[in-house]
Amino acid sequence: MKYARLTKEQFEELHQEFINFLASQTITASEWEELKKNKPEVAELELDVFSDLIWEGVLNQAKYLEHISPQSIHLFALNEDKMHLIGIKVKSDVDLSTTEGFNWLRENLMDDRVEFVQAQKAYSEERNLDKFTLIQQGANITKGELYNYMYKLIN
């Protein structure tokens, strides 16, 4: 398995897509029930393959990631050949993961306690795995509004 198995909730949300996936494998509903009962290892493999397919599609579409922690924000633009990072670090007791802390940041962007950094990193041979690793570390896929706002502000 390349990524991670989808959660029960994600499988429930993707129920129809999973049925279509099984159909593409020429597995009927009754055959699926039999696989789960008599060959659970094969059923598990099908769940893993489907999960990887879903993740691959999601990661191919992802253009921006955000990771917000109490003292820092990491904003990633996932360009074709490399990632661009805008990092924001706060040297204050402010918790950026709260609404109050984020509002403080908006009002104090030019304060000496707010530090900006930028960096670029080429992808490894497994571009989507690089993205997935960031998601596993707590980043969320976004539309990039905060990234684009900060990019314009500091460039």
Side-chain angles (χ1 to χ4, degrees), residues 2 9 14 23 26-27 29 39 42 57 60 87 91 97 99 102 107 123 130 150-151 153:
K2 190 172 182 179
E9 293 79 16
L14 296 166
T26 64
I27 299 173
K39 294 184 180 173
V42 174
N60 281 336
K91 298 175 188 171
S97 63
T99 303
F102 192 78
E107 294 166 12
Y123 294 108
D130 294 344
M150 293 298 177
Y151 184 84
L153 181 75

Side-chain angles (χ1 to χ4, degrees), residues 7-57:
T7 64
K8 183 176 188 249
E9 293 79 16
Q10 290 167 325
F11 272 111
E12 287 169 2
E13 284 289 315
L14 296 166
H15 179 73
Q16 189 57 51
E17 288 83 352
F18 187 62
I19 290 170
N20 295 343
F21 167 77
L22 291 175
S24 74
Q25 307 270 14
T26 64
I27 299 173
T28 65
S30 60
E31 289 172 330
W32 175 244
E33 289 305 318
E34 191 172 314
L35 271 179
K36 288 193 305 186
K37 191 166 72 178
N38 299 325
K39 294 184 180 173
E41 66 286 346
V42 174
E44 297 282 322
L45 186 59
E46 293 296 335
L47 295 171
D48 291 347
V49 170
F50 178 74
S51 294
D52 276 350
L53 282 173
I54 294 298
W55 273 114
E56 198 69 34

Side-chain angles (χ1 to χ4, degrees), residues 8 18 20 30 45 47 73 92 95 98 108 142 152 155:
K8 183 176 188 249
F18 187 62
N20 295 343
S30 60
L45 186 59
L47 295 171
I73 297 176
S92 173
D95 182 346
T98 67
N108 295 282
T142 69
K152 288 175 188 161
N155 288 305

Side-chain angles (χ1 to χ4, degrees), residues 88-100:
I88 305 162
K89 185 173 181 164
V90 177
K91 298 175 188 171
S92 173
D93 289 343
V94 170
D95 182 346
L96 298 174
S97 63
T98 67
T99 303
E100 298 80 21

Side-chain angles (χ1 to χ4, degrees), residues 38-121:
N38 299 325
K39 294 184 180 173
E41 66 286 346
V42 174
E44 297 282 322
L45 186 59
E46 293 296 335
L47 295 171
D48 291 347
V49 170
F50 178 74
S51 294
D52 276 350
L53 282 173
I54 294 298
W55 273 114
E56 198 69 34
V58 167
L59 295 168
N60 281 336
Q61 296 298 314
K63 302 294 178 219
Y64 297 95
L65 295 175
E66 284 180 9
H67 187 269
I68 300 175
S69 62
Q71 298 300 298
S72 63
I73 297 176
H74 294 92
L75 307 169
F76 299 89
L78 307 171
N79 303 317
E80 274 305 305
D81 55 341
K82 60 189 162 217
M83 290 184 240
H84 182 256
L85 164 70
I86 296 173
I88 305 162
K89 185 173 181 164
V90 177
K91 298 175 188 171
S92 173
D93 289 343
V94 170
D95 182 346
L96 298 174
S97 63
T98 67
T99 303
E100 298 80 21
F102 192 78
N103 288 338
W104 180 92
L105 177 65
R106 282 192 358 217
E107 294 166 12
N108 295 282
L109 281 171
M110 296 305 148
D111 190 288
D112 287 343
R113 295 171 288 176
V114 178
E115 209 175 86
F116 291 93
V117 295
Q118 292 189 75
Q120 293 190 47
K121 181 182 178 197

